[in-house]
Amino acid sequence: MDEIEEIRSKIDLVQYISETVPLKKTGRNFKACCPFHSEKTPSFIVNPERQIWKCFGCGVGGDIFKFVMEQERVEFGEALRLLAKKAGVTLKRYQPTKSESEKDKLYEINHLAAEFFHYLLINHPVGRRALNYILQRGVTKESLEQFKLGYSPASWDELQKFLVGKKKYSIFDLEKAGLVVKSDRGGFYDRFRDRLMFPLFDHRGNIVGFAGRLLDPGAKEAKYVNTPETSIYHKSELLYPLQITKEEIKKTGAAVVVEGELDAISSYQVGIKNVVAIKGSALTEFQARLLKRFTENLILSLDADAAGDMAARRGIEIADSLGFNLKVVTLEKYKDPDEAAQKDPGYFKKRLEEAENIYDFYLNSAFARFRGKTPEEKKKIGQELIPIFGKIEDEIVKNVYIKKLSQRLGVNEEAIILQIEKFFKKESKILPKPVSVNPVKTRREILEKYFLSLLFQSKKIEILKEEKDLFCLPVNLRLIKMLEDFLKENLNFSSQFFFKSLPGELKEAFDSLYLIDFGEKIEEEDWVKEEIKRLKKELKILGVKEELETVCLRLKTETDPEEEKKVQEKIKLLAQRLSELEKT
Ligand SMILES: [Zn+2]
């Protein structure tokens, strides 16, 4: 068995996917809302027998490797290595590609840089000032270890001396990792100087970059310097420090979302361990999807005026459309979660317990900012809230907030409903219509595929022996022919071995038969029988109709009277057969 097959045999696809996506059994398949696009009704199907999955909404699908590639956004090699590790399979034959080895090298460099910074902070006199500063800010020694905080010395080349001089990496690799910057004169200098260093881990525990924080609050430089975008660091994808807090998020069933690294560390220290920082004010779609693997509930720690922040609002909209339950916590007395956790953890925890529904937050925030007494103020509030409330998916919830808004504005509900309609009419004119990805299928394509799918899934393939004349699409005829050949050499049918016997272009067609969802009914013998009967009839009728069409076309072009008579006879016969068929 090769390594890929060994991994496949050791990790069950359904099990694997259900670790992060809530799958529901439906007949022979499992179903869920797609983890890769926004939807409210499930079109993501997993078939255990074939160990395959597909989303009929956005079209992606494949095997376990493809799933990992999509979910982790990695290339095949990385997916292979991830799964090999999980399955306990040693990859002997696999050669990483150039870009994989390159990424590995950058992880190594970052790892060594983190060790270097950490050593200087904890053990070296050069880091003493930084150490005093961070301890005085209330970060404990334990946290310094756990989050591997460090110090980058006030030098232009100390890190280079270590990584290039001692560890023999090339300066260009350091540049690729974002650790050094090319100077105008052609040399390189260390990017992070005299800063408190936060290594940024991805959720799998690789160090992908750094955030460097200024020690002297009065200095003129930027408070934070971050690793620029590199092949392994993408700011919009990072959730800090998810590699540590993901288990806690799963366990508590919610994630507290804060802005910065220190917000997260301070919260963690006081026992709010289900925390992540989004490194900015707006949650991105990637971050939301990543969080969705661990929880359905988000508590966003927002500034009281964040409702007016369009970027933050967009992030909330994204999370809402992905089906999260959203709550908001505001910390009126304190600047940020860091300060609240340091000064008054009891207050912070209490506020978290009282976190308000996102729509109440919007409502209260708008009234706090615009008062809502004069007509102009009321208009402003309407302008802010109507686009938000109009988009509420659940009609009951929507109604609740229309009521609330009408009461507080002192206007009737009709006015608000009218305004919502007006707003969305205007918006729908601007938005382009979505383009359908699937070309229209003919009735024959649909019927043949459905019938084949039913026969394979209900394991009634022996019926194909008698009924193969019902099929005429080349791909299906070829599948049936392959099946006949297979059954000549094998006593029993096994979808796995049959799949292996197929040429590449038929493999996908065969797998797609297992992704049609019959629900629980596929288990009911009677239903399957009836369905087979119905499909036989439908395909026969379709066959006659198609023949009729062709013959009728001939009639139009036929000039020889003798021939014309024959054709008319034929039409009569076919029409007769059709009516007989339809009667049965
Ligand atoms: Zn999808």
Side-chain angles (χ1 to χ4, degrees), residues 123-370:
N123 301 313
H124 200 280
V126 81
R128 192 71 35 88
R129 190 172 54 97
L131 183 63
N132 288 337
Y133 165 79
I134 191 67
L135 290 174
Q136 185 208 324
R137 279 214 48 156
V139 174
T140 62
K141 282 201 168 139
E142 256 182 346
S143 294
L144 295 182
E145 290 301 328
Q146 183 158 24
F147 299 98
K148 235 181 178 12
L149 264 48
Y151 172 68
S152 57
S155 144
W156 297 98
D157 60 0
E158 215 50 56
L159 182 69
Q160 294 174 55
K161 278 187 199 157
F162 174 64
L163 288 174
V164 181
K166 245 186 174 161
K167 297 288 174 184
K168 304 296 172 207
Y169 285 99
S170 115
I171 189 75
F172 301 105
D173 288 330
L174 267 64
E175 189 189 18
K176 281 178 195 155
L179 288 166
V180 296
V181 183
K182 199 170 192 169
S183 76
D184 298 337
R185 274 163 287 160
F188 290 90
Y189 59 89
D190 290 1
R191 180 183 301 274
F192 302 99
R193 297 175 310 280
D194 193 20
R195 284 172 183 269
L196 189 66
M197 299 299 290
F198 299 83
L200 305 173
F201 292 83
D202 67 12
H203 67 284
R204 298 191 296 268
N206 299 310
I207 299 178
V208 293
F210 293 89
R213 190 183 202 275
L214 216 55
L215 294 176
D216 175 7
K220 290 217 166 58
E221 292 162 75
K223 191 168 163 197
Y224 274 97
V225 166
N226 284 296
T227 297
E229 294 284 310
T230 68
S231 64
I232 57 172
Y233 178 64
H234 310 287
K235 180 169 180 268
S236 63
E237 298 180 1
L238 199 99
L239 287 165
Y240 181 88
L242 189 62
Q243 94 280 8
I244 292 173
T245 57
K246 61 185 180 191
E247 289 310 319
E248 204 69 29
I249 289 171
K250 253 188 184 169
K251 213 166 81 191
T252 54
V256 177
V257 179
V258 297
E259 266 191 38
E261 289 84 5
L262 274 175
D263 293 322
I265 293 176
S266 296
S267 305
Y268 190 87
Q269 277 186 177
V270 298
I272 302 161
K273 294 191 170 178
N274 53 335
V275 66
V276 280
I278 52 180
K279 295 187 66 59
S281 61
L283 192 69
T284 65
E285 181 171 347
F286 187 92
Q287 290 170 327
R289 286 192 193 287
L290 187 53
L291 277 172
K292 196 77 199 281
R293 294 199 223 164
F294 308 104
T295 184
E296 304 260 293
N297 301 296
L298 300 183
I299 306 172
L300 309 166
S301 164
L302 296 176
D303 288 345
D305 57 4
D309 176 349
M310 285 312 283
R313 219 158 89 182
R314 176 78 195 116
I316 290 165
E317 237 171 63
I318 287 169
D320 189 44
S321 73
L322 288 176
F324 279 107
N325 301 310
L326 293 166
K327 285 186 172 176
V328 173
V329 62
T330 50
L331 303 161
E332 277 104 9
K333 280 159 72 181
Y334 299 102
K335 181 164 99 272
D336 50 32
D338 175 33
E339 196 185 70
Q342 296 282 353
K343 291 190 175 149
D344 200 349
Y347 167 80
F348 188 13
K349 284 180 192 168
K350 192 163 156 281
R351 293 295 293 163
L352 280 173
E353 273 165 33
E354 302 164 345
E356 62 185 339
N357 176 292
I358 184 81
Y359 301 117
D360 284 315
F361 165 73
Y362 279 134
L363 193 71
N364 294 333
S365 162
F367 277 91
R369 279 173 292 131
F370 304 123

Side-chain angles (χ1 to χ4, degrees), residues 34 37 55 58:
C34 177
H37 84 280
C55 170
C58 62

